[in-house]
Amino acid sequence: MRALAGRAAFAAAVAAILLWSLFPFHYALVTAFKTGSELFTVTYWPAHWHPDNFQAAFRDLPFGRNIANSAGVAALVVAASLALGVSAAYALGRVRFRGRGAVLAVVLAFSMFPQVAVLSGMFELIRALGIYNNPLGLALSYLLLTTPFTVWVLTTFMAALPAELEEAAAVDGAGPWRTLVDILVPPLAPAMVATGLLAFIVAWNEFLFALTFTLTDDQRTVPVAIALISGASAHELPWGVIMAASVTVTLPLIALVLVFQRRIVAGLTAGAVKG
Amino acid sequence: MESRRRAAVLFLAPVALVLAAVGGWPLAKTVWFGFTDADLANLNSYAFIGFENYYTVIDGVAVGLLADPEWWRAVANTVVFTVASVALETVLGLAVALVLNQPFPGRGLVRAAVLVPWAIPTIVSARLWAWMLHDQFGMVNDLLLAAGVLSQPVAWLAEPHLAMAAVVLVDVWKTTPFMALLLLAALQMLPRECYEAARVDGASAMRRFFTLTLPLIRPALVVAVVFRCLDALKVFDVIYVLTANNPRTMSMSIYARQALVEFQEVGYGSAASTLLFLVVALFITAYLMLNRGRRGVGAAT
């Protein structure tokens, strides 16, 4: 009897966790498919599935363009962070030199910077490079957010690779560059997938830089576009369109999480617990 | 060996260059601007004014950041937000981790579901909750009215003493998964033998938790809390979307950005940003000092 009650309590806890985690997204989905006055009555399942709000987001707003901007920025950031991260991880993970710990500590310190503390200097830099109000400026600024943890996590994994790998390459007369690309990168691939995913999520979700360094609707990324959707007045926000846009940009993330959850957790914990 | 070291320098150079350009230089620039009267409209001509952005007395009246009650309110708000949200998400995250640490059918799927709020952009989660907490059409009011908990709708985001609670709620929803998964990773590394011994000794589940589990996962718990505090001190997105520039919820980051961008006072805003940087740096230093006696830091690999 007690065991049964315990099991029921455990099942209830699991159900509560699921409800708490998923309900807001479900409710957004339901709202996104409502139109007109349906929006103003609370229901937990739509009477009809109207695609109007999704159409409005792409027709009345440059939302397709915003998604393309976000995807482009995220792709650039992932590629650049992985390239920088692998290169640094080789130096920090495979070569013993004095000051190695200090370098790692400095890299970590960069990840602690409040974004607002680099805002004015970054603004100046981006304007000087002529990439203000341009997704390229965002991609550049996001490297501050993604390279530190990329370097850390990849260094951890790089240092764990067996020494024999490199010795064999040295016997064959391969230089550091060939050794890195041909010998060390392939076994590092799973860690690169994990850190690449984290970098993608950071770039896709970032808001403060994107809000500050872009000016016109067609240059915006998705989070800013969604934050700035407004109606005729503050009391007439088009909630259906906002929810449709929100659901649209969240679906790829949920798909990524479902497919790669093990990798993501491995990346997160390697970055935090071991650090 | 010498050639390997030279190669190491070459392989480190790109990261060093990028971090210097997008981190070191802008930070130095912000600190410098904090000592000037620069404004956004004309960033190239400004004068050095020493500590006047921080504190000065003009005609017997104290002005500057340290004399601005709005700034101190932003500091207090940030501290309240950090303490409340990190405490709540630690407790909830630990509870979720303990549940997920038990084997049960479908555990992998539940673990993926728990990650969903973490993966959703903060902006999106803030807007989802703003809609659910809507005073007229929101489902939270609808549910609570139907259940008889409320007798009339509540304006969760506008009510002065509720706005901060709403902001904390949304942040807790978004960040509990991070906490839960870090703690779950720590729980899964615990040695089974201790638990079997404790069970043989007849220790209750509660006792096992407080005398075994909690002390064993303490290092991971501390790291997770520190990480989350560092993030919470910099909070911007969730407040910007939920309550905008409402002074009741204004954080240090919101205050600084408002000065920098909306009021165009780059000098003053940079001074505020510099103070926020110092607060974060102080927090890290305090943590490292407290931690020094216990284990080496930075020797992660």
Side-chain angles (χ1 to χ4, degrees):
Chain A
M1 198 58 213
R2 251 193 92 183
L4 198 66
R7 260 218 224 140
F10 186 78
V14 172
I17 290 172
L18 282 176
L19 194 68
W20 163 255
S21 305
L22 300 180
F23 176 77
F25 186 71
H26 165 77
Y27 193 68
L29 200 65
V30 171
T31 306
F33 282 105
K34 289 179 172 181
T35 53
S37 59
E38 281 178 352
L39 277 167
F40 307 121
T41 38
V42 175
T43 53
Y44 299 99
W45 198 256
H48 313 278
W49 298 87
H50 297 289
D52 307 27
N53 291 320
F54 291 90
Q55 289 163 348
F58 286 94
R59 190 187 54 227
D60 306 338
L61 303 168
F63 198 59
R65 180 70 196 266
N66 299 141
I67 292 180
N69 288 342
S70 276
V73 169
L76 270 178
V77 170
V78 169
S81 326
L82 284 179
L84 291 167
V86 166
S87 167
Y90 175 71
L92 294 165
R94 307 301 305 182
V95 185
R96 304 256 134 221
F97 60 92
R98 223 181 318 140
R100 197 178 137 274
V103 172
L104 273 168
V106 169
V107 169
L108 186 64
F110 276 95
S111 69
M112 316 267 170
F113 281 19
Q115 276 178 264
V116 76
V118 294
L119 213 55
S120 39
M122 192 84 86
F123 174 72
E124 224 192 12
L125 176 75
I126 283 176
R127 239 183 20 174
L129 293 172
I131 45 178
Y132 175 68
N133 195 31
N134 184 330
L136 282 177
L138 299 185
L140 179 70
S141 66
Y142 293 174
L143 291 181
L144 172 63
L145 311 176
T146 55
T147 34
F149 75 78
T150 313
V151 170
W152 263 74
V153 175
L154 291 180
T155 299
T156 311
F157 282 95
M158 188 77 98
L161 297 179
E164 294 82 49
L165 280 178
E166 269 189 279
E167 282 156 15
V171 170
D172 292 346
W177 176 249
R178 284 257 67 86
T179 311
L180 176 62
V181 174
D182 294 345
I183 310 292
L184 296 173
V185 164
L188 209 61
M192 288 171 67
V193 172
T195 44
L197 279 167
L198 292 180
F200 180 89
I201 291 174
V202 167
W204 185 265
N205 293 1
E206 200 282 334
F207 180 62
L208 178 50
F209 286 164
L211 177 69
T212 311
F213 303 143
T214 54
L215 194 63
T216 51
D217 284 343
D218 61 329
Q219 300 297 317
R220 304 255 193 227
T221 52
V222 158
V224 186
I226 291 179
L228 297 183
I229 295 176
S230 56
S233 79
H235 300 286
E236 295 170 51
L237 283 176
W239 285 105
V241 177
I242 295 175
M243 291 303 132
S246 300
V247 167
T248 308
V249 304
T250 307
L251 280 175
L253 291 177
I254 292 186
L256 281 181
V257 163
L258 288 177
V259 175
F260 292 107
Q261 60 130 331
R262 266 169 213 289
R263 292 269 163 80
I264 293 176
V265 172
L268 269 182
T269 47
V273 172
K274 287 180 190 163
Chain B
M1 223 41 224
E2 197 41 50
S3 72
R4 269 175 78 82
R5 285 203 191 108
R6 227 172 302 138
V9 172
L10 274 178
F11 279 96
L12 265 180
V15 166
L17 206 71
V18 166
L19 285 181
V22 299
W25 170 251
L27 179 71
K29 225 28 222 236
T30 297
V31 174
W32 165 247
F33 276 138
F35 293 112
T36 70
D37 62 357
D39 76 274
L40 200 57
N42 187 2
L43 258 187
N44 295 320
S45 74
Y46 48 79
F48 180 81
I49 56 168
F51 281 92
E52 281 180 34
N53 285 324
Y54 294 93
Y55 186 86
T56 187
V57 178
I58 298 174
D59 299 331
V61 183
V63 294
L65 268 175
L66 299 178
D68 181 5
E70 289 277 304
W71 165 253
W72 288 110
R73 190 164 191 177
V75 174
N77 284 340
T78 309
V79 171
V80 168
F81 171 85
T82 302
V83 171
S85 68
V86 175
L88 279 171
E89 71 209 31
T90 306
V91 172
L92 283 176
L94 188 54
V96 171
L98 287 170
V99 169
L100 290 182
N101 196 32
Q102 306 295 320
F104 63 87
R107 178 165 69 160
L109 276 178
V110 176
R111 194 167 49 184
V114 165
L115 264 177
V116 165
W118 169 82
I120 292 181
T122 308
I123 295 312
V124 169
S125 64
R127 287 226 125 168
L128 295 188
W129 281 94
W131 172 236
M132 294 201 299
L133 294 169
H134 196 278
D135 49 352
Q136 284 170 284
F137 315 120
M139 56 85 38
V140 173
N141 275 337
D142 187 71
L143 200 67
L144 294 178
L145 286 168
V149 179
L150 294 179
S151 54
Q152 53 186 347
V154 171
W156 301 99
L157 297 171
E159 208 64 65
H161 54 282
L162 286 176
M164 181 56 92
V167 167
V168 168
L169 167 79
V170 178
D171 189 69
V172 167
W173 183 72
K174 153 113 193 152
T175 50
T176 299
F178 175 82
M179 205 51 125
L181 290 169
L182 288 194
L183 296 178
L184 180 62
L187 285 174
Q188 289 179 337
M189 285 191 282
L190 296 185
R192 292 195 166 276
E193 305 82 52
C194 303
Y195 283 87
E196 269 141 36
R199 205 164 307 182
V200 170
D201 287 349
S204 71
M206 204 56 119
R207 208 179 136 73
R208 288 201 299 270
F209 174 73
F210 281 105
T211 56
L212 267 179
T213 310
L214 211 49
L216 284 172
I217 62 166
R218 215 186 86 127
L221 192 70
V222 171
V223 170
V225 166
V226 168
F227 265 67
R228 283 297 315 136
C229 282
L230 286 175
D231 261 359
L233 286 172
K234 307 179 226 167
V235 62
F236 179 83
D237 302 11
V238 65
I239 297 178
Y240 185 88
V241 170
L242 278 180
T243 52
N245 290 337
N246 178 350
R248 293 267 179 179
T249 54
M250 181 179 284
S251 66
M252 289 190 270
S253 284
I254 298 261
Y255 180 100
R257 186 184 180 277
Q258 191 185 40
L260 280 170
V261 180
E262 276 151 53
F263 304 154
Q264 311 229 329
E265 295 168 353
V266 171
Y268 191 78
S270 295
S273 306
T274 305
L275 282 186
L276 172 60
F277 175 77
L278 288 179
V279 169
V280 170
L282 215 72
F283 184 89
I284 297 170
T285 316
Y287 164 67
L288 291 179
M289 302 266 270
L290 287 174
N291 207 32
R292 176 164 290 193
R294 265 176 238 132
R295 66 193 186 108
V297 177
T301 50

